């Protein structure tokens, strides 16, 4: 979680568990790393036989700032959903007064395709049934589409192949791994992401191979999605841990926040989270300060903040510009077999949980199962559900029940 306490506490203190952040930060894993220089290996090679993907063995764990690519579209970098969906699909949304979409991040299965394919399978099941008003309209990816460094050769095994049968469009913001650069394939930062998500025309890219999915036509790596019932402002928080924004993006976000339509759900998506209870990837104070200042200056707060980066599910109640805002980390999309497990202190405590030095309250979490979000937006209300998928060895033939449900009025 991030430091600095702000805003008014809305919960009953007597019903909230408080954990000492300093004591928690002192805990370390028993066997860090996988051997490294001169170290010992205690587990087999995580790459299964027959699974070919590019890895970067010389990767520097300290990720630097990477300059942004030239936008493929024009300011203010907005994409309307009716430019992506058919007229019939848009009519379904407008006539039903309901918009449904998927969201999750950190999917690129660099070590094994098993988990990403498993999550994708259950997402595809949401399109079953004859009631098309209950079908998701799109999948909003929260970043880290391709590991480790957004390499072009990895787009097929880590993106196009796992979502071969996903019937809806997929839009995205980049994550830090999408923007980093692999010295083995020295493309400019985000070159492959731009080619596959920010194309000027819906073409089939060479890396899609036999997948029938067209490249997405987003106008930039940071951009706004306009829909009949929700506005989603997507930020690119670059490569450094904790995120970093250019001044141009800061100015753009302030304008988009202030100009977002009133009466529709307002969602902000950014890969690095502003709240997190996972010690190695805590919430970003830098991004929190930025969002808090923007919301205060513009007198506008989002109804929901979505992030990835941490490979699990966490739901927080946070404070932005003195207002209560739900902030969700959804980074369990399938990157690896093992998720980021929270400290035993969280597992042993009763929810909700606060930490000294933080104004975020952890309402719920899941660090043992991969999963995805299904978000339903109607006039004045959002229902956000997290579905934790069964292990691939024990698939479920029945419809999944949500692990966690959040209702948001706006």
């Amino acid at each position: 979680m991030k430091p600095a306490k702000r805003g008014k506490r809305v919960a009953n203190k007597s019903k909230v568990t408080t954990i000492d952040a300093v004591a928690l930060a002192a805990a370390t894993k028993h066997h860090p790393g996988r051997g490294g220089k001169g170290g010992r290996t205690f587990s087999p090679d995580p790459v299964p036989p027959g699974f070919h993907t590019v890895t970067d063995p010389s990767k520097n764990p300290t990720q630097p700032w990477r300059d942004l690519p030239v936008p493929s579209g024009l300011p203010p970098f907005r994409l309307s959903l009716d430019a992506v969906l058919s007229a019939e699909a848009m009519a379904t949304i407008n006539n039903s007064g309901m918009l449904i979409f998927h969201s999750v991040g950190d999917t690129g299965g660099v070590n094994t395709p098993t988990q990403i394919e498993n999550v994708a399978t259950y997402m595809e099941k949401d399109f079953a049934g004859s009631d098309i008003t209950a079908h998701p309209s799109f999948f909003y990816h929260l970043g880290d589409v391709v590991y480790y460094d957004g390499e072009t050769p990895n787009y097929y095994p880590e993106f196009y192949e796992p979502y071969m049968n996903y019937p809806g469009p997929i839009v995205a913001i980049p994550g830090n791994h999408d923007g980093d650069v692999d010295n083995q394939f020295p493309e400019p930062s985000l070159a492959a992401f731009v080619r596959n998500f920010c194309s000027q025309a819906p073409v089939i890219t060479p890396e899609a191979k036999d997948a029938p999915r067209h490249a997405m036509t987003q106008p930039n790596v940071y951009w706004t999605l306009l829909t009949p019932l929700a506005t989603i402002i997507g930020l690119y928080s670059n490569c450094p841990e904790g995120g970093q924004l250019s001044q141009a993006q800061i100015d753009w976000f302030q304008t988009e926040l202030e100009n977002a339509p009133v009466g529709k759900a307002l969602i902000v998506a950014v890969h690095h989270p502003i709240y997190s209870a996972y010690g190695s990837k805590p919430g970003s104070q830098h991004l929190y300060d930025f969002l808090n200042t923007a919301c205060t200056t513009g007198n506008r707060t989002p109804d929901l903040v979505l992030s990835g980066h941490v490979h699990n599910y966490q739901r927080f109640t946070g404070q932005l510009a003195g207002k209560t805002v739900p902030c969700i980390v959804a980074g369990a999309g399938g990157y690896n077999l093992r998720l980021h497990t929270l400290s035993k202190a969280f597992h042993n405590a009763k929810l909700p949980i606060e930490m000294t030095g933080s104004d975020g309250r952890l309402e719920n979490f899941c660090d043992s199962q991969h999963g995805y979000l299904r978000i339903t937006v109607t006039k004045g209300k959002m229902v956000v559900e997290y579905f934790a998928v069964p292990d691939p060895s024990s698939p479920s033939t029945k419809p999944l029940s949500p692990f966690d449900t959040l209702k948001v009025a706006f």
Side-chain angles (χ1 to χ4, degrees):
M1 294 185 185
K2 64 169 193 65
K5 202 155 184 123
R6 298 177 179 84
K8 296 181 179 179
R9 177 55 56 219
V10 297
N12 185 336
K13 283 285 187 180
S14 63
K15 297 182 180 180
V16 176
T17 303
T18 301
I19 293 178
D20 188 329
V22 176
L24 182 65
T28 58
K29 293 183 178 179
H30 189 62
H31 293 297
R34 288 187 53 80
K37 295 181 179 179
R40 298 185 181 185
T41 298
F42 302 103
S43 60
D45 189 334
V47 181
F51 181 67
H52 302 290
T53 186
V54 176
T55 61
D56 183 9
S58 61
K59 179 174 174 56
N60 185 343
T62 302
Q63 300 186 70
W65 162 270
R66 303 285 185 179
D67 290 336
L68 274 61
V70 175
S72 56
L74 298 174
F77 309 129
R78 297 170 183 167
L79 177 66
S80 180
L81 189 60
D82 60 13
V84 177
L85 297 183
S86 66
E88 291 80 5
M90 292 301 301
T92 298
I93 297 170
N94 290 317
N95 293 338
S96 67
M98 181 168 61
L99 171 71
I100 302 173
F101 65 96
H102 287 139
S103 189
V104 74
D106 305 84
T107 60
V110 68
N111 289 338
T112 169
T114 304
Q115 303 305 324
I116 181 176
E117 291 176 353
N118 187 44
V119 174
T121 295
Y122 285 95
M123 292 170 67
E124 291 162 11
K125 291 181 179 181
D126 284 349
F127 292 88
S130 58
D131 182 8
I132 59 173
T133 63
H135 294 183
S137 293
F138 57 91
F139 169 18
Y140 195 104
H141 199 294
L142 298 173
D144 281 0
V145 181
V146 168
Y147 288 82
Y148 287 104
D149 304 307
E151 301 94 340
T152 293
N154 285 357
Y155 260 84
Y156 183 77
E158 294 185 31
F159 176 68
Y160 284 106
E161 188 173 37
Y163 297 112
M164 182 78 74
N165 296 317
Y166 186 85
I170 302 176
V171 298
I173 51 172
N176 56 292
H177 285 281
D178 297 310
D180 212 357
V181 176
D182 183 345
N183 293 330
Q184 297 179 91
F185 298 91
E187 292 183 302
S189 177
L190 292 174
F193 182 92
V194 168
R195 196 162 53 251
N196 288 280
F197 284 101
C198 304
S199 175
Q200 292 184 340
V203 298
I204 302 291
T205 63
E207 44 268 40
K209 297 184 180 180
D210 60 342
R213 182 173 300 280
H214 284 95
M216 188 45 62
T217 52
Q218 299 165 195
N220 201 355
V221 296
Y222 57 91
W223 61 291
T224 299
L225 179 63
L226 304 174
T227 82
L229 294 165
T231 301
I232 307 176
I233 305 177
L235 290 163
Y236 170 48
S237 49
N238 217 283
C239 299
E241 186 60 44
Q244 191 172 340
L245 305 172
S246 67
Q247 188 59 50
Q249 188 174 184
I250 291 172
D251 296 340
W252 168 85
F253 178 79
Q254 187 72 60
T255 301
E256 289 297 275
L257 186 69
E258 295 173 5
N259 292 336
V262 176
K264 295 182 180 181
L266 177 58
I267 301 171
V268 169
V270 56
H271 181 68
H272 292 88
I274 60 174
Y275 295 103
S276 171
Y278 181 65
S280 299
K281 295 187 177 182
S284 171
Q285 180 68 59
H286 169 71
L287 289 181
Y288 175 86
D289 289 342
F290 157 70
L291 287 176
N292 189 57
T293 299
C295 293
T296 302
T297 301
N299 194 28
R300 185 77 188 274
T301 55
D303 302 300
L304 176 67
V305 177
L306 297 176
S307 299
H309 193 55
V310 186
H311 303 161
N312 58 31
Y313 170 77
Q314 303 174 66
R315 175 166 63 87
F316 287 88
T317 295
Q319 301 289 318
L320 288 173
K323 297 182 180 179
T324 301
V325 178
C327 301
I328 291 178
V329 178
Y335 157 69
N336 205 350
L337 173 62
R338 185 175 181 179
L339 294 170
H340 288 151
T341 305
L342 301 191
S343 165
K344 289 183 179 179
F346 291 97
H347 287 268
N348 295 334
K350 184 177 180 180
L351 292 166
I353 299 172
E354 291 180 354
M355 290 175 63
T356 55
S358 173
D359 68 3
R361 188 174 69 241
L362 180 63
E363 307 285 359
N364 207 349
F365 69 92
C366 179
D367 59 1
S368 59
Q369 291 176 268
H370 294 80
Y372 64 93
L373 294 173
R374 177 184 167 103
I375 300 175
T376 302
V377 187
T378 53
K379 187 174 179 59
K381 185 174 70 173
M382 269 191 297
V383 178
V384 185
E385 299 170 297
Y386 179 71
F387 290 89
V389 304
D391 187 86
S393 63
S394 304
S396 174
T397 57
K398 299 179 180 179
L400 298 181
S401 297
F403 171 88
D404 188 33
T405 300
L406 168 69
K407 295 182 180 180
V408 182
F410 58 88

